[in-house]
Amino acid sequence: MAKAYVCRAAEWVTREAMQIHGGMGYAEEYAVSRYFLDARVLSIFEGADETLCLKVIARRLLENVT
Ligand SMILES: Cc1cc2nc3c(=O)[nH]c(=O)nc-3n(C[C@H](O)[C@H](O)[C@H](O)COP(=O)(O)OP(=O)(O)OC[C@H]3O[C@@H](n4cnc5c(N)ncnc54)[C@H](O)[C@@H]3O)c2cc1C
């Protein structure tokens, strides 16, 4: 659950950072564009977001219900 949360948080934070920088935030010369790219992959590797949420977290939560 922590991974699912912080991956989305990282995407949101770096998106906002890029947005604040405007057009220059998209330019490769600025580190902020790389931060967004790196944050984006967090929800793909080491357990893709959908797999993590559906197959791991939801399954575990349902086990606790029954
Ligand atoms: C930079 C990088 C480094 C990596 N390093 C390593 C490494 O060191 N060692 C290693 O073993 N692997 C590594 N990987 C592989 C990584 O673990 C896989 O990319 C990851 O597990 C996702 O698998 P996939 O790419 O085959 O996507 P897929 O499994 O094909 O998933 C594609 C999309 O479909 C979704 N999806 C899949 N199944 C379901 C489902 N049942 N229901 C709903 N949605 C679903 C996924 O969430 C995803 O959005 C790396 C990947 C990257 C990008």
Side-chain angles (χ1 to χ4, degrees), residues 40-61:
R40 187 60 192 85
V41 80
L42 297 176
S43 58
I44 296 173
F45 66 16
E46 291 279 336
D49 206 31
E50 292 77 9
T51 309
L52 183 65
C53 291
L54 294 172
K55 289 193 168 178
V56 181
I57 298 171
R59 199 171 279 176
R60 183 69 59 86
L61 290 174

